[in-house]
């Protein structure tokens, strides 16, 4: 398997990264803390103007028809910037789900999301608390009769306590007959399963991004802060901890990129085989562990300041804690990995999917 990104994939991620650098600095983040609505509509419009909303939407529905490897670096950039708006959920999960639904209601909502920048949310059973639901123009709600698309004004949105000060969480409900049904019970199960796999992969990418941002923050501070006439970064007690965090990230990142390759460019069936499910779970677990180590290390490097609101480290730590518990949580994903480990052969030949190799031997010789 070729893990190298194409020039187009890297260029697209660089454009998003540059925009986030302009729009999502420390002052911009802090301005949303304590706001009635943490969702910044102006920043949202600027980011969607880059065309990222349709990356995973099939071409027939107005999108670009690309796959997971085309979006994973964008998700990582969003994590690095600690972006308050749930762009990754919107473009990586909700819009691809709508593009796979039938009916005019889903198509019209998808068009609004792609062309007008309307924020659409999903109340998934594995992530029942919806991020920024108070800014959503419509919410996809699962129910006994399938999936319903309900206008935001027709929903009951109750804010819930959350550790992340940049993201407000809500429980969303609506009367059973509210909105329009966009998928029946059987189709909704497939759509929700597919959405969960996408959500897990791209949340893992966000975690890798914020882990890298935490290390970069700590390294910059270790160079700036001086004690006894030299930077604190010159001390091995600082260097070794930062190196351990960076190694953890370096091991998690290719696992996440490999899992992104399992997200198909077309909205086909979710990964049905146990091997693919285990790879996606492994990615989320590895990214979560890297993010936890990186953010806690950054906190220690900053010393007492790391526990205060004077520096941005706490924002990354709280985001990491919040993201790690999404899409089923660590225990659920450990069980999926254990299912694979305990029920199928292991070995170095199982690390990556094996392509069919052409040989110049006869079938008899290969058998021998």
């Amino acid at each position: 398997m070729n893990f190298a990104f194409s020039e187009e994939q890297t260029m697209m991620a660089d454009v998003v990264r540059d925009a986030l650098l302009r729009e999502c600095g420390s002052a911009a983040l802090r301005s949303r803390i304590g706001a009635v609505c943490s969702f910044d509509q102006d920043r949202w419009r600027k980011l969607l103007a880059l065309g990222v909303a349709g990356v995973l939407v099939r071409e027939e529905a107005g999108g670009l028809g690309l796959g997971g490897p085309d979006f994973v670096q964008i998700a990582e950039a969003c994590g690095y910037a600690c972006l308050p708006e749930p762009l990754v959920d919107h473009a990586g999960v909700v819009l691809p789900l709508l593009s796979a639904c039938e009916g005019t209601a889903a198509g019209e909502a998808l068009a609004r999301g792609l062309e007008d920048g309307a924020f659409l949310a999903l109340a998934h059973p594995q992530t029942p608390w919806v991020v920024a639901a108070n800014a959503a123009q419509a919410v996809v709600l699962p129910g006994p009769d399938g999936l319903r698309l309900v206008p935001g004004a027709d929903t009951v949105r109750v804010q819930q306590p959350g550790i992340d000060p940049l993201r407000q969480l809500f429980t969303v409900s609506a009367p059973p007959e509210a909105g329009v049904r966009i998928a029946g019970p059987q189709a909704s199960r497939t759509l929700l399963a597919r959405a969960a796999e996408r959500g897990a992969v791209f949340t893992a990418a966000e975690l890798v991004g914020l882990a890298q941002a935490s290390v970069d923050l700590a390294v910059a501070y270790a160079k700036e802060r001086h004690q006894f006439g030299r930077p604190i970064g010159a001390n091995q007690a600082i260097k070794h901890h930062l190196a351990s965090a960076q190694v953890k990230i370096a091991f998690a990142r290719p696992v996440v990129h490999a899992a992104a390759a399992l997200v198909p460019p077309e909205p086909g069936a979710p990964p049905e085989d146990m091997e693919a499910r285990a790879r996606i779970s492994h990615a989320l677990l590895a990214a979560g562990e890297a993010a936890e180590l990186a953010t806690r290390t950054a906190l220690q490097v900053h010393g007492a300041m790391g526990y205060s609101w004077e520096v941005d480290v706490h924002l990354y730590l709280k985001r990491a804690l919040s993201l790690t518990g999404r899409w089923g949580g660590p225990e659920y994903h450990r069980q999926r990995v254990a299912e694979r480990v305990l029920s199928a052969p292991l070995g170095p030949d199982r690390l990556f999917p094996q392509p069919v190799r052409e040989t110049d031997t006869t079938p008899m010789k290969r058998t021998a």
Side-chain angles (χ1 to χ4, degrees):
M1 180 177 288
N2 181 12
F3 285 120
F5 289 104
S6 68
E7 186 178 349
E8 290 78 12
Q9 290 169 336
T10 302
M11 284 177 60
M12 189 161 53
D14 286 343
V15 169
V16 175
R17 199 172 289 117
D18 290 343
L20 289 168
L21 196 61
R22 292 192 303 271
E23 303 294 335
C24 213
S26 177
L29 291 179
R30 288 171 175 272
S31 70
R32 308 310 299 180
I33 297 177
V36 175
C37 179
S38 60
F39 191 100
D40 188 327
Q41 293 286 355
D42 184 51
R43 179 167 51 219
W44 180 257
R45 282 192 294 271
K46 290 178 179 176
L47 291 174
L48 292 197
L50 302 175
V52 296
V55 170
L56 296 173
V57 176
R58 56 193 174 90
E59 290 184 85
E60 297 82 0
L64 300 177
L66 302 177
D70 300 284
F71 190 74
V72 67
Q73 291 189 97
I74 295 173
E76 191 174 329
C78 292
Y80 190 94
C82 207
L83 179 66
E85 291 75 36
L87 176 63
V88 173
D89 287 353
H90 176 76
V93 179
V94 182
L95 295 189
L97 181 147
L98 285 174
S99 75
C101 293
E102 297 180 353
T104 56
E108 290 172 358
L110 179 62
R112 290 199 302 275
L114 293 175
E115 298 169 8
D116 303 334
F119 168 50
L120 307 170
L122 167 67
H124 195 283
Q126 288 188 347
T127 54
W129 290 11
V130 182
V131 177
N134 54 344
Q137 294 192 14
V139 183
V140 179
L141 291 174
D145 64 339
L147 294 179
R148 300 190 76 84
L149 182 66
V150 184
D154 295 343
T155 60
V156 177
R157 294 167 283 193
V158 179
Q159 187 169 356
Q160 302 294 330
I163 191 173
D164 187 345
L166 294 173
R167 284 187 166 180
Q168 294 162 329
L169 301 175
F170 296 84
T171 51
V172 183
S173 60
E177 68 280 5
V180 180
R181 195 174 80 157
I182 57 175
Q186 186 171 356
S188 68
R189 283 192 288 273
T190 302
L191 290 170
L192 290 173
R194 189 184 307 161
E197 304 298 348
R198 290 176 185 271
V201 170
F202 298 132
T203 296
E206 279 191 275
L207 285 164
V208 168
L210 70 86
Q212 188 61 63
S214 301
V215 169
D216 291 350
L217 277 174
V219 169
Y221 181 75
K223 291 178 180 177
E224 175 190 334
R225 177 83 166 92
H226 282 65
Q227 276 188 334
F228 307 111
R230 65 176 190 170
I232 62 171
N235 299 312
Q236 287 189 344
I238 299 290
K239 288 191 289 189
H240 287 183
H241 283 298
L242 287 172
S244 296
Q246 189 62 54
V247 168
K248 199 81 169 175
I249 296 169
F251 275 85
R253 183 175 281 125
V255 176
V256 174
H257 292 175
L262 298 171
V263 177
E266 294 295 328
E272 293 289 353
D273 63 290
M274 182 172 50
E275 187 80 27
R277 292 198 301 270
R279 288 178 187 277
I280 290 172
S281 290
H282 179 204
L284 189 55
L285 290 170
E289 290 174 3
E292 181 179 2
L293 179 61
T295 52
R296 292 186 184 280
T297 300
L299 203 71
Q300 294 296 325
V301 170
H302 279 78
M305 283 180 60
Y307 291 93
S308 72
W309 286 53
E310 293 181 51
V311 293
D312 292 338
V313 176
H314 73 99
L315 298 176
Y316 289 88
L317 174 64
K318 291 167 182 172
R319 178 65 58 82
L321 293 172
S322 176
L323 290 180
T324 303
R326 302 192 74 204
W327 302 110
E331 182 58 33
Y332 167 75
H333 290 283
R334 286 193 189 99
Q335 289 177 1
R336 297 212 310 180
V337 173
E339 179 189 14
R340 159 65 185 89
V341 169
L342 299 175
S343 58
L346 297 172
D349 61 328
R350 305 279 177 164
L351 290 177
F352 305 102
Q354 298 298 306
V356 177
R357 294 176 179 172
E358 297 291 337
T359 67
D360 56 359
T361 57
T362 65
M364 185 176 294
K365 288 180 179 177
R366 287 203 298 272
T367 302

